[in-house]
């Protein structure tokens, strides 16, 4: 490995280069090298100032997150020690930023005496997304430099800002102009500081904090503002407390408070879970048979077949990413309705102030509605998003096979049909892949990429690439009935229905699941998706159910009553005109109680704990089968599916991580108990049993 820190001289300025690929993480060897380079420069009478900059594509991604669990993060020089050394340096230290400067990679610059940046550099403190607070002075120095409210916004959202905005706010002192060299400009700034004798330090600033001291209500207001978005998360509130400490306490005390808070958060289960999700997202890009050298098709032109809710949402994903897309329908009226819906969706975003009217028009201009099926022939990717009907899909793929370019990707958005059977009607099954978007497709971040038996590595690699381009988290799964996501959803939703037959009510179950951290419970979700949709899926699945297995018919009865959910104002709950708030409905309760009677079930009080365990462990159990059957390569992929597809709370790391955290043996023993009482649906999966017996975890499981 090459040396992560180099030292060169430019006149009287010592130029320190950080070089720790791929992201210049501030790992122990880098910290040690930087400490030594600074010490050598301080000892050298010919050096009057320093410039710190980085090689590679970014300044730094911050602390090395992998060191958090090994204890190396605490080894000297720690990042706070190094940062103190920089701030206390009697010779000015100027930092030169490019690419990305986040986390510790932003905190280190905050302690320098001046900051120079290339326009477009992403600067910020994303620690909150890892379940921690910035732990190297970020919460103390940032508010001093840019003001309390902008600092709260940056730290609590974790979203980086660009260098131009950072310049406006006073975080960046100088932007590098076109044609200028970053390091040269930084050297000039360092020379000017030497000349003036100035050594400006963020810690000495108090003007912007004084303003905030006049408005003590600011923090409560901020807490109220984030309450919905941050529900259940600990770190956003810990961040606010640290910024509050910056305002109320002297610098060193504030810094100590931040450190204490950081150490506490770092060892919390929430942070472990959120770090797990960070690495899971990166791991999901590693797919069997696909390597860094696998060729991929760059998608420049897309087509979507079908402009219903799904097709329209998918077309929006392309337009949002700047990719021109054609959408087809067979009838003008359907096409008009679909385009109207797309326009309405964009207009709603404009009304919320999240999109400019101009951007809306330029996105709409990228979507070309057409009745001409053959016009999709020049697309790099065609996504079929028509009704879930095998015969129809086969017909479409036969037609596509005749007109698409030889290297075009032919994708189906089916949520349950056999991708191999669809691919088999074409002369090029290696070009066929499942791209299962989640509704609403323009909002939900999961993209289940279904690898058919013959799907080529190039097509998979292109699909993974595309998922990132359109802002989705792509997770590759194999072909099986309902794939991984919906397959795991069924036992979860099914247990919820059995529980209401046994004595619970939909509102109790939804409350328990909501309190666990999901945005809504299974009944609210059913009403949102439409009970007619669930009914149609059951028509397809039901014939395969072994008849000795229990079946709950309440959902069918609601469907027969015309209660389709939110769209009809009535489903599991009732809805007032124009509202999405579920209201318990006595009519549904009567139906449930009657059904229990008919089934001869004596209704009982059901504890919240039982509800949670029956629903969640059933889905974990199905996840274990999905892994065992090779449908998914790793448990963390299933965690991503649940976080991004169904809103499983991120701070619990996804269902498989959750199972590990409560103990696989506990999950297994509980399933065994449930199985004895409630029958075969709850039979523990062989992998769950194996892991429990061997003391294993899902995290460590690898396919044999
Ligand atoms: C912190 O700084 C704490 C301090 O406040 C206090 C300390 C006392 N560490 O994402 P990519 C790996 S907490 C270790 O594909 P991109 C990543 O796993 C930190 N490894 O690149 C991947 O490995 P692999 C706060 C890291 O260009 C490879 O680098 N910082 C780290 O799409 C490439 O990553 C953050 O939260 C890290 N910090 O995106 C920023 N970062 O190839 C975290 C990345 O083996 N990082 N790796 O899979 C990011 O958000 C993105 O990596 C970034 C680049 C936007 C920077």
């Amino acid at each position: 490995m090459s040396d992560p820190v180099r030292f060169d001289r430019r006149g009287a300025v010592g130029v320190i280069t950080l070089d720790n690929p791929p992201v210049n993480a501030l790992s122990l060897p880098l910290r040690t090298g930087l400490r030594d380079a600074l010490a050598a420069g301080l000892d050298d009478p010919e050096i009057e100032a320093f410039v710190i900059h980085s090689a590679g594509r970014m300044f730094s991604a911050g602390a090395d997150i992998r060191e958090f669990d090994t204890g190396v993060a605490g080894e000297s020089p720690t990042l706070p020690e190094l940062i103190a050394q920089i701030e206390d340096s009697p010779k000015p230290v100027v930092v030169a930023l490019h690419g990305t400067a986040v986390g510790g990679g932003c905190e280190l610059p905050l302690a320098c005496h001046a900051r120079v940046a290339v326009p477009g550099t992403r600067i910020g403190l994303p620690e909150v997304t890892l379940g921690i607070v910035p732990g190297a002075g970020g919460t103390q120095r940032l508010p001093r430099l840019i003001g309390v409210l902008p600092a709260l916004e940056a730290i609590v959202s974790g979203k980086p800002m660009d260098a131009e905005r950072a310049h406006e706010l006073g975080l960046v002192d100088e932007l590098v102009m076109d044609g200028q060299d970053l390091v040269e400009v930084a050297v000039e700034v360092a020379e000017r500081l030497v000349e003036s004798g100035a050594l400006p330090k963020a810690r000495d600033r108090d003007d912007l904090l004084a303003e905030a001291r006049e408005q003590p209500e600011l923090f409560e207001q901020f807490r109220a503002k984030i309450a919905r978005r941050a529900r259940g998360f600990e770190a956003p509130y810990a961040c606010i407390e640290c910024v509050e400490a910056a305002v109320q306490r002297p610098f060193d005390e504030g810094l100590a408070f931040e450190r204490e808070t950081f150490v506490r958060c770092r060892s919390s289960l929430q942070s472990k879970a959120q770090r797990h999700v960070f690495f899971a997202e990166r791991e999901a890009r590693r797919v069997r048979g696909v390597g860094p050298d696998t060729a991929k098709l760059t998608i420049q032109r897309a087509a979507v077949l079908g402009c219903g809710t799904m097709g329209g949402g998918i077309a929006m994903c392309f337009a949002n990413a700047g990719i021109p897309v054609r959408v087809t329908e067979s009838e003008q009226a359907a096409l008009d309705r679909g385009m109207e819906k797309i326009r309405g969706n964009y207009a709603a975003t404009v009304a919320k102030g999240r999109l400019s009217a101009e951007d809306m028009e330029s996105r709409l201009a990228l979507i070309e509605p057409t009745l001409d099926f053959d016009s999709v022939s020049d697309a790099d990717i065609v996504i079929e998003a028509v009704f879930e009907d095998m015969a129809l899909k086969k017909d479409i793929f036969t037609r596509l096979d005749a007109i698409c370019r030889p290297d075009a990707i032919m994708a189906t958005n089916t949520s349950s049909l056999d991708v191999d059977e669809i691919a088999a009607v074409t002369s090029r099954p290696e070009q066929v892949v499942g791209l299962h978007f989640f509704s609403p497709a323009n909002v939900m971040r999961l993209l289940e990429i279904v690898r058919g038996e013959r799907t080529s590595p190039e097509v998979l690699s292109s699909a993974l690439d595309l998922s990132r381009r359109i802002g989705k988290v792509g997770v590759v799964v194999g072909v099986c009935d309902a794939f991984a996501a919906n397959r795991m959803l069924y036992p979860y939703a099914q247990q919820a229905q059995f529980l209401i037959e046994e004595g619970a009510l939909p509102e109790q179950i939804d409350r328990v699941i909501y309190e666990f951290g999901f945005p809504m419970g299974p009944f609210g979700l059913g009403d949102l998706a439409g009970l007619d949709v669930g009914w149609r899926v059951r028509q397809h699945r039901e014939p395969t159910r072994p008849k000795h297995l229990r079946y709950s018919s309440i959902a069918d009865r609601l469907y027969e009553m015309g209660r389709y959910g939110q769209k009809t104002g009535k489903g599991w709950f009732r809805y007032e005109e124009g509202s999405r708030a579920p209201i318990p409905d006595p009519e549904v309760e009567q139906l449930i109680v009657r059904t229990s009677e008919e089934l001869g079930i004596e209704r009982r009080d059901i504890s919240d704990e039982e509800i949670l365990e029956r629903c969640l462990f059933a889905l974990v159990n199905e996840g274990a089968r999905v892994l065992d059957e090779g449908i998914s390569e790793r448990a963390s992929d299933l965690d991503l599916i649940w976080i991004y597809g169904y809103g499983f709370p991120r701070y619990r790391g996804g269902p498989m991580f959750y199972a590990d955290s409560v103990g696989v043996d506990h999950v297994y023993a509980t399933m065994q108990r449930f199985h004895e009482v409630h029958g075969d649906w709850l039979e523990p999966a062989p992998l769950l049993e194996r892991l429990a017996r061997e003391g294993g975890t899902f995290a460590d499981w690898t396919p044999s």
Side-chain angles (χ1 to χ4, degrees):
M1 250 176 54
S2 66
D3 202 344
V5 178
R6 291 192 298 275
F7 187 92
D8 304 290
R9 287 159 199 276
R10 292 216 193 168
V13 178
V15 175
I16 300 174
T17 308
L18 312 182
D19 189 4
N20 186 24
V23 293
N24 289 314
L26 305 171
S27 54
L28 183 61
L30 183 143
R31 297 197 303 272
T32 311
L34 181 51
R35 175 197 61 190
D36 294 347
L38 285 165
L42 286 173
D43 276 349
D44 185 338
E46 284 175 16
I47 295 291
E48 292 177 342
F50 299 94
V51 162
I52 302 177
H53 80 118
S54 290
R57 60 192 173 96
M58 68 184 74
F59 177 71
S60 172
D64 188 334
I65 309 165
R66 290 184 199 275
E67 284 185 354
F68 284 8
D69 293 319
T70 60
V72 177
E75 278 185 39
S76 199
T78 62
L79 193 55
E81 285 167 0
L82 189 63
I83 283 177
Q85 187 190 1
I86 291 172
E87 192 167 55
D88 294 341
S89 161
K91 302 180 181 180
V93 184
V94 176
V95 71
L97 307 174
H98 76 287
T100 301
V102 291
C106 166
E107 291 174 295
L108 186 148
L110 292 177
C112 292
H113 306 111
R115 289 154 291 276
V116 178
V118 172
T121 305
R122 308 285 295 157
I123 305 172
L125 295 169
E127 283 86 341
V128 71
T129 63
L130 300 172
I132 51 175
V133 301
T139 63
Q140 307 302 299
R141 293 190 181 89
L142 192 64
R144 285 178 162 79
L145 281 177
I146 69 172
V148 170
L149 209 49
L152 273 176
E153 260 149 23
I155 297 169
V156 176
S157 75
K159 288 198 184 109
M161 60 182 99
D162 60 30
E164 290 85 332
R165 173 82 183 134
H167 184 238
E168 265 168 38
L169 288 171
L171 196 172
V172 164
D173 300 287
E174 205 155 315
L175 285 174
V176 172
M177 299 293 153
D178 253 0
Q180 284 183 313
D181 178 77
L182 172 65
V183 176
E184 257 170 41
V185 174
V187 168
E188 279 165 28
V189 172
E191 286 167 348
R192 283 206 301 271
L193 283 177
V194 172
E195 224 173 273
S196 68
L199 213 51
K201 294 180 189 177
R203 60 175 292 155
D204 296 338
R205 291 271 302 273
D206 192 58
D207 47 328
L208 297 173
L209 299 188
E211 268 175 31
R213 277 186 211 108
E214 310 279 297
Q215 312 159 264
E217 70 290 352
L218 183 151
F219 292 100
E220 270 326 300
Q221 285 169 354
F222 199 84
R223 284 188 185 92
K225 190 174 121 183
I226 64 157
R228 213 168 137 240
R229 181 162 40 98
R231 184 176 67 92
F233 286 88
E234 290 160 5
Y237 296 97
C239 287
I240 298 175
E241 279 179 23
C242 290
V243 177
E244 222 168 354
V247 173
Q248 288 164 358
R249 305 185 190 194
F251 181 79
D252 287 327
E253 268 185 39
L255 205 58
F257 179 79
E258 179 201 79
R259 185 71 192 161
E260 225 172 81
T261 312
F262 168 78
V263 170
R264 176 168 49 83
C265 289
R266 189 180 59 187
S267 58
S268 69
L269 187 56
Q270 286 210 350
S271 174
K272 287 198 179 95
Q274 288 174 249
R275 271 140 51 196
H276 163 76
V277 178
F278 175 83
F279 287 115
E281 281 179 29
R282 278 132 192 103
E283 204 53 37
R285 298 181 205 144
R286 285 187 244 279
V287 172
R288 182 173 38 86
V290 179
D293 301 331
T294 307
K296 40 181 162 279
L297 181 72
T298 308
I299 287 154
Q300 282 162 339
R301 187 162 273 292
V304 179
L305 306 177
C307 195
T309 311
M310 226 35 204
I314 298 171
M316 288 174 74
C317 295
F318 284 104
N320 295 348
I323 304 171
V325 55
R326 279 202 180 109
V327 269
T328 72
E329 266 294 346
S330 48
E331 283 169 25
Q332 189 65 46
L335 196 58
D336 292 345
R337 262 199 315 275
M339 285 306 292
E340 218 25 66
K341 182 94 198 285
I342 293 176
R343 180 169 275 281
N345 283 342
Y346 277 131
T349 317
V350 171
K352 285 183 201 144
R354 292 206 225 117
L355 185 74
S356 70
E358 202 185 342
D359 284 345
M360 161 171 163
E361 289 310 324
S362 56
R363 288 179 194 194
L364 279 170
L366 288 170
I367 306 177
E368 185 191 330
T370 172
L371 292 176
D372 178 12
F373 184 93
D374 289 355
S375 71
V376 307
S377 62
D378 66 347
D380 301 311
I381 184 168
V382 182
I383 302 180
E384 161 279 305
V386 302
F387 205 65
E388 285 288 85
D389 176 49
M390 183 54 99
L392 178 61
K393 301 216 182 223
K394 283 183 171 173
D395 176 49
I396 284 182
F397 274 77
T398 308
R399 288 169 71 192
L400 285 178
D401 195 26
I403 59 167
C404 284
R405 288 204 334 251
D407 61 342
I409 298 172
M410 304 197 299
T412 168
N413 176 51
T414 181
S415 60
S416 57
L417 300 178
D418 185 340
V419 173
D420 291 327
E421 198 179 327
I422 297 173
V425 302
T426 73
S427 61
R428 38 177 149 163
E430 66 285 355
Q431 293 301 112
V432 178
V433 67
L435 290 183
H436 179 204
F437 287 77
F438 285 67
S439 189
N442 53 313
V443 176
M444 297 304 288
R445 291 206 50 214
L446 177 64
L447 181 62
E448 207 176 20
I449 301 176
V450 186
R451 168 186 212 148
E453 209 182 331
R454 305 273 304 273
T455 308
S456 74
E458 291 77 16
V459 165
L460 279 179
S461 177
S462 311
L464 282 163
D465 205 47
L466 173 71
S467 64
R468 282 188 84 182
R469 255 179 94 196
I470 61 175
K472 305 283 177 207
V473 176
V475 180
V476 175
V477 299
V479 175
C480 66
D481 186 20
F483 316 128
N486 280 339
R487 183 171 155 180
M488 288 166 76
L489 180 70
Y490 294 138
Y492 160 84
Q494 187 191 44
Q495 286 307 313
Q497 296 189 27
F498 292 158
L499 282 160
I500 58 172
E501 287 178 352
E502 291 166 34
L505 287 174
E507 51 270 31
Q508 183 192 2
I509 293 183
D510 275 17
R511 174 184 53 75
V512 171
I513 298 295
Y514 177 80
E515 284 171 0
F516 179 77
F518 277 91
M520 62 177 73
F523 296 104
L525 184 68
D527 278 355
L528 179 70
L531 299 196
D532 50 333
V533 177
W535 182 84
R536 266 199 300 275
V537 172
R538 284 194 298 282
Q539 299 310 299
H540 159 68
R541 291 175 63 85
E542 248 312 280
T544 62
R545 173 178 60 95
K547 288 303 163 234
H548 71 283
L549 289 174
R550 183 175 167 186
Y551 180 75
S552 173
S553 62
I554 301 176
D556 292 342
R557 293 193 185 180
L558 290 174
Y559 168 79
E560 285 152 15
M561 290 158 77
R563 300 185 66 121
Y564 294 172
Q566 283 193 18
K567 62 178 94 165
T568 55
K570 283 177 175 181
W572 289 105
F573 300 103
R574 145 180 109 67
Y575 300 85
E576 304 264 295
E577 184 76 37
S579 159
R580 289 169 175 271
I583 303 168
D585 189 340
E587 195 177 58
V588 175
E589 182 172 342
Q590 280 161 18
L591 171 71
I592 293 170
V593 171
R594 213 169 46 240
T595 307
S596 306
E597 276 167 19
E598 284 165 16
L599 292 168
I601 297 174
E602 194 176 329
R603 292 179 66 78
R604 61 188 169 96
D605 279 343
I606 297 186
S607 71
D608 290 357
E609 186 190 11
E610 178 175 347
I611 289 174
L612 198 61
E613 295 193 329
R614 289 260 303 269
C615 294
L616 291 190
F617 292 178
L619 84 88
V620 167
N621 198 48
E622 196 62 32
R625 291 187 206 280
V626 165
L627 291 173
D628 227 4
E629 290 171 24
I631 300 302
S632 177
E633 282 188 48
R634 54 185 83 83
S636 62
D637 283 357
L638 302 180
D639 288 333
L640 293 179
I641 284 178
W642 270 77
I643 289 171
Y644 290 113
Y646 302 112
F648 195 99
R650 189 183 178 89
Y651 57 80
R652 296 193 196 271
M656 311 315 278
F657 180 92
Y658 178 70
D660 280 348
S661 66
V662 297
V664 172
D665 51 348
H666 168 69
V667 178
Y668 172 65
T670 311
M671 286 299 290
Q672 247 184 339
R673 187 160 46 81
F674 288 155
H675 179 211
E676 276 160 25
V677 181
H678 302 288
D680 281 355
W681 281 123
L682 290 164
E683 183 177 6
L687 175 61
L688 185 67
E689 185 182 345
R690 259 189 342 263
L691 290 178
R693 214 180 35 236
E694 295 161 5
T697 59
F698 285 113
D700 290 336
W701 176 85
T702 48
S704 45

